[in-house]
Amino acid sequence: MRALDWPGAGRVTVTQNDVIRTAMSEGRLAETVAQDLARQLMHPHLGFVLFFCSAEYDLAALGDALQNYFGGVRLVGCTSAGEITAQGYNRSCVSAIGFDHRSFSIACELIDEMERFSLVDAQQLVERLGSTCRSNCLAPLKGHSFALTLLDGLSSREEVVLAALSAAFGSIPHFGGSAGDDNHLADTHVYYQGRFHSGAAIVMLVNTWLDFEVFTTHHILPCHEKLVVTHADSQMRRVFELNAEPAAQEYARLVGVPVGELGHRLFAAHPLAVRINEQYYVRSIQKVNDDLSLTFYCAVENGIVLTSMRPGPLLPNLEALFERLEQRLGPPLLTIGCDCFLRRLEVESQGGADEVSAFLRRQRVIGFNTYGEQFNGTHINQTFTGVAIGRPGGRGA
């Protein structure tokens, strides 16, 4: 994804301030939020806005206000389990990114029925997105595009949608995050054309002449203990038995606590993962049910073996990631980050949230805390996943 001599490069001057602008509002009223964001983002070449917001807002009012203040500018977004702003971690606010149309050609669509989405649907959708991006003659699609997905985080359909999209996107790198709702696990939404939708997904195709890199990382390390899923409902992501014992009871035994003490912070501290080839993919637990079954954020099936995992040092893992990114891109202009909410709970419980927040601020990360992440067609948990975008002029600029 190297920068290239694009058709308008010799005729258009694009300043770094206009390539990507960021905004944040802590207003409580929808009108105030929309006004705040418009004041910070609007300029003559604004072509697209991506935002992440707390589910505490009156979403219907917020949708109307954003539509009114941004007029013909396209906006998409989703609710979150915490926001990442230019100041670092935040809550109960809206964080947004504005893209200059001279540097980014962005096409997007809504999948409003995730349960019926097929490979044919995905192929047709990707073709439409590609056609829209190509029509702007900004940069060749191949090698200069990435996709971003925002999925309803409580839909239980992420894997099906992602598998179809991954096949349709082919070599185009793809990442994304599942919408949250401030850890209430009740209603999650994506925003498209003035309205918030549930049971839906947004697909964005981003074409740019700027350098970028799509990435994923995690700090979770394997232990020796194994749990076999012996009874599960894969469609509901619900595990009834582990090692032929009630699932919650067996998991509680593994981590050494009574069942009644299980909750998000313990789930973050004692994750489970499935091993595929040499890689471990975390399958985070969402909740304990009354019948002692466990509901997961990712798909689980009968017969899979789950490995007990433990968190390693989180901040050094992030530092190593950004060191690698800077070696390739130079200091990033911006990183769009999808950060699992369990990671944030972990650092908050350990008293390290301020340090991690400061690091994200220095690295120009804008994004949200998710109920799941997506990377090249795979639905994953407890990761930091996203795209780093290089500055105009390339490495060393």
Side-chain angles (χ1 to χ4, degrees):
M1 285 46 125
R2 295 297 303 163
L4 74 164
D5 295 326
W6 57 291
R11 302 188 297 274
V12 178
T13 300
V14 184
T15 67
Q16 288 191 22
N17 287 339
D18 283 346
V19 171
I20 297 176
R21 291 187 182 183
T22 65
M24 188 266 284
S25 176
E26 295 179 295
R28 301 316 316 143
L29 298 178
E31 186 88 2
T32 304
V33 170
Q35 191 175 52
D36 285 349
L37 298 182
R39 185 177 64 251
Q40 296 170 67
L41 294 178
M42 289 296 279
H43 65 87
H45 302 290
L46 179 65
F48 196 92
V49 173
L50 171 66
F51 73 89
F52 313 102
C53 71
S54 167
E56 296 174 3
Y57 286 102
D58 179 335
L59 296 181
L62 182 59
D64 290 341
L66 289 171
Q67 188 83 339
N68 290 338
Y69 272 87
F70 282 89
V73 177
R74 290 167 301 156
L75 290 88
V76 301
C78 69
T79 56
S80 69
E83 299 76 53
I84 306 173
T85 75
Q87 285 75 49
Y89 280 148
N90 210 326
R91 292 194 188 278
S92 304
C93 71
V94 181
S95 184
I97 306 166
F99 298 87
D100 189 316
H101 68 77
R102 296 170 297 176
S103 299
F104 296 91
S105 177
I106 302 177
C108 64
E109 286 200 20
L110 178 76
I111 301 171
D112 58 0
E113 292 185 325
M114 294 175 68
E115 67 278 3
R116 298 183 181 179
F117 192 68
S118 68
L119 176 58
V120 172
D121 295 328
Q123 291 169 333
Q124 293 173 347
L125 183 152
V126 170
E127 178 56 36
R128 291 192 298 269
L129 296 180
S131 179
T132 299
C133 286
R134 278 191 293 266
S135 68
N136 293 322
C137 300
L138 193 62
L141 207 60
K142 184 176 180 180
H144 302 279
S145 305
F146 63 86
L148 185 157
T149 48
L150 302 174
L151 309 182
D152 181 332
L154 298 177
S155 67
S156 299
R157 300 296 294 171
E158 291 97 326
E159 285 83 7
V160 174
V161 171
L162 290 172
L165 286 173
S166 180
F169 277 127
S171 62
I172 295 174
H174 163 214
F175 80 99
S178 299
D181 66 346
D182 301 288
N183 304 353
H184 296 304
L185 302 178
D187 293 293
T188 56
H189 297 80
V190 297
Y191 175 91
Y192 183 80
Q193 291 187 343
R195 290 181 51 231
F196 284 89
H197 305 259
S198 59
I202 288 169
V203 185
M204 292 171 50
L205 183 62
V206 181
N207 177 236
T208 180
W209 54 269
L210 294 167
D211 295 344
F212 63 85
E213 183 168 326
V214 172
F215 63 83
T216 187
T217 189
H218 69 77
H219 64 303
I220 308 299
L221 305 172
C223 303
H224 297 296
E225 297 87 354
K226 309 288 184 183
L227 298 173
V228 180
V229 177
T230 48
H231 181 197
D233 182 334
S234 58
Q235 284 198 327
M236 296 299 294
R237 298 178 176 171
R238 195 162 176 172
V239 174
F240 295 94
E241 290 183 1
L242 292 168
N243 296 342
E245 298 289 342
Q249 184 176 307
E250 185 67 0
Y251 177 77
R253 180 200 62 76
L254 175 73
V255 302
V257 300
V259 170
E261 292 185 12
L262 295 178
H264 284 142
R265 296 189 186 278
L266 270 171
F267 299 153
H270 302 277
L272 302 173
V274 60
R275 182 177 177 177
I276 302 175
N277 297 322
E278 298 303 312
Q279 298 294 319
Y280 288 92
Y281 296 91
V282 174
R283 295 291 181 258
S284 293
I285 300 171
Q286 184 185 110
K287 62 181 178 178
V288 178
N289 302 302
D290 292 340
D291 60 359
L292 297 183
S293 64
L294 296 172
T295 299
F296 283 70
Y297 282 102
C298 275
V300 284
E301 298 177 352
N302 285 319
I304 66 169
V305 177
L306 296 171
T307 299
S308 175
M309 308 287 282
R310 63 178 177 85
L314 188 148
L315 187 55
N317 175 263
L318 281 177
E319 291 171 338
L321 166 69
F322 279 93
E323 183 177 343
R324 293 193 301 272
L325 291 171
E326 186 166 339
Q327 286 174 356
R328 210 188 75 73
L329 301 172
L333 175 67
L334 181 91
T335 297
I336 304 173
C338 302
D339 187 31
C340 182
F341 86 107
L342 292 172
R343 290 165 53 92
R344 182 163 174 176
L345 288 179
E346 178 192 329
V347 295
E348 287 175 343
S349 67
Q350 296 173 352
D354 289 346
E355 191 176 8
V356 173
S357 179
F359 179 79
L360 296 175
R361 180 175 67 246
R362 292 194 299 273
Q363 299 301 322
R364 299 173 178 265
V365 177
I366 301 294
F368 72 117
N369 296 115
T370 72
Y371 280 175
E373 304 79 58
Q374 301 114 41
F375 181 72
N376 289 339
T378 302
H379 185 208
I380 48 183
N381 294 135
Q382 234 156 319
T383 73
F384 179 73
T385 298
V387 62
I389 300 171
R391 297 171 182 269
R395 184 166 47 192

